[in-house]
């Protein structure tokens, strides 16, 4: 495809990063994707490759050995890794959420202790906000961290934790006062403090990414493991998640681009009525719609990233990008399956997996419904 307007606006360094990560996605991630999905096993050798490229330190400041990427570069990396496999991109983005929290809210001692090793890929980070009864409304969380001397005692259950099995350090959100919803606070909790990992979820898609619950039963952590002032946890979470939504939107673009490319290759090879199906008007119009959706999504993502890099308030732009790109990913992967016909419904072709994976982009880090509420608030109430 011709260079898009979104790509032509990148700096030379950003284009070079895009090309390196795309090559890694094609040569290292894609060959493992089908097996990882079928066995529901995360490809650790791919993670080590990401670490070798310094990508596990994307949101770690340079002084701690990190990449310290701007949001546009962060977006590019997420898109290209997702082009290889969404499960890998999801694991990386959650790890980066954890390191970003430590970088943004941690003390110098906390940063020195955790960030250099996390930038090198281990320990793997987790982000524990959602609970069985508190998803879209985290203020309803029931997990508590009550101060007892110079320690906090943590009790509660977290749900839908990416890197739940393989992760070793958790960014935890809990109430310091069981009766006060406004007391949500952010903590850093090593898994070996006594955190119990639940069973791995059986999922529609994203099967190579381990998703579990975490149980905290009188888990004791030092008071210095608190990352924010008491009661400042939710505002910290929302700040971090705005950038995270740009990352998820970018992943949706990469996934959709992958499906578009797979469908294009198939349409040129598959013949019906003595000609490639790429010459059939109905199929051609599908590609027109798919390409337009991918291009529009990428432009929206780039604009949301640009606003953040410029120091502007990008909450609405990030919500728009996440909403549009994730819904477009579902549409594009659906059409890719349709173009493949019966072959699109079997695991021999990657579009089946891409279709299954796409749905989660409309759910995690804020559902489409939540994004629309953020957008409406920005349009009507500000």
């Amino acid at each position: 495809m011709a260079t898009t307007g979104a790509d032509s606006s990148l700096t030379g360094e950003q284009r070079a990063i895009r090309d390196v990560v795309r090559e890694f996605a094609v040569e290292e991630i894609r060959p493992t994707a089908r097996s990882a999905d079928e066995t529901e096993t995360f490809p650790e050798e791919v993670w080590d490759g990401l670490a070798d490229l310094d990508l596990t330190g994307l949101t770690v400041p340079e002084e701690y050995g990190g990449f310290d990427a701007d949001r546009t570069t962060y977006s590019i990396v997420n898109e290209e890794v997702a082009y290889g496999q969404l499960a890998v991109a999801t694991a990386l983005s959650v790890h980066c959420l954890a390191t970003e929290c430590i970088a943004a809210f941690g003390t110098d001692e906390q940063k020195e202790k955790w960030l250099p090793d996390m930038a090198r890929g281990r320990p793997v980070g987790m982000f524990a906000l959602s609970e069985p009864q508190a998803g879209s409304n985290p203020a309803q969380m029931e997990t508590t961290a009550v101060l007892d001397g110079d320690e906090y005692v943590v009790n509660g259950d977290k749900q839908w934790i990416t890197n739940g099995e393989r992760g070793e350090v958790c960014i935890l959100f809990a109430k310091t006062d069981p009766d006060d919803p406004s007391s949500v606070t952010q903590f850093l909790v090593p898994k070996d403090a006594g955190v119990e990992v639940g069973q791995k979820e059986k999922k529609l898609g994203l099967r190579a990414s381990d998703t579990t619950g975490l149980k905290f039963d009188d888990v004791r952590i030092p008071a210095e493991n608190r990352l924010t002032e008491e009661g400042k946890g939710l505002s910290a979470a929302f700040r971090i998640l705005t950038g995270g939504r740009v990352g998820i939107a970018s992943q949706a673009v990469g996934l959709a681009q992958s499906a578009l490319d797979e469908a294009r290759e198939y349409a040129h090879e598959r013949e019906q009525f003595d000609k490639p199906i790429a010459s059939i008007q109905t199929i051609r119009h599908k590609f027109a719609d798919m390409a337009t959706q991918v291009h529009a999504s990428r432009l929206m993502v780039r604009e949301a990233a640009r606003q953040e890099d410029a120091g502007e308030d990008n909450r609405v732009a990030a919500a728009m990008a996440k909403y549009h790109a994730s819904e477009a990913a579902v549409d594009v992967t659906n059409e890719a399956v349709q173009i493949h016909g019966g072959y699109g419904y079997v695991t021999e072709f990657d579009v089946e997996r891409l279709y299954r994976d796409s749905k989660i982009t409309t759910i995690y880090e804020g559902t489409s419904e939540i994004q629309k509420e953020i957008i409406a608030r920005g349009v009507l109430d500000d």
Side-chain angles (χ1 to χ4, degrees), residues 75-96:
S75 169
I76 293 165
V77 171
N78 272 273
E79 177 181 337
E80 298 304 337
V81 174
Y83 186 86
Q85 186 175 22
L86 183 64
V88 174
T90 299
L92 178 63
S93 65
V94 170
H95 176 78
C96 289

Side-chain angles (χ1 to χ4, degrees), residues 8-21:
S8 63
S9 67
L10 302 179
T11 66
E13 181 181 5
Q14 288 167 339
R15 292 185 191 180
I17 292 169
R18 177 200 61 195
D19 293 344
V20 167
V21 182

Side-chain angles (χ1 to χ4, degrees), residues 145-148 150-154 172 186-190 193-195 216 218-226:
V146 178
L147 190 62
D148 180 22
D150 59 357
E151 294 180 317
Y152 282 93
V153 182
V154 184
L172 173 74
Q186 184 179 203
F187 298 89
L188 188 156
V189 184
V195 181
F216 300 82
D218 286 337
V219 173
R220 288 182 170 268
I221 57 172
E224 58 262 30
N225 280 30
R226 194 185 73 208

Side-chain angles (χ1 to χ4, degrees), residues 78 87 159 164 178 205 210 267 278 281 323 378:
N78 272 273
Q159 190 76 3
D210 60 310
Q281 186 181 60
Y323 168 54

Side-chain angles (χ1 to χ4, degrees), residues 47 51 55-58 60 64 94-100 102 113-126 169-171 188:
W47 186 261
L55 299 182
T56 49
L58 269 181
V60 175
Y64 300 103
V94 170
H95 176 78
C96 289
L97 279 180
T99 57
E100 189 170 0
I102 298 171
K113 180 177 180 179
W114 292 100
L115 290 181
D117 287 341
M118 293 181 78
R120 291 190 288 268
R122 316 279 177 176
V124 175
M126 300 172 283
V169 59
C170 173
I171 302 302
L188 188 156

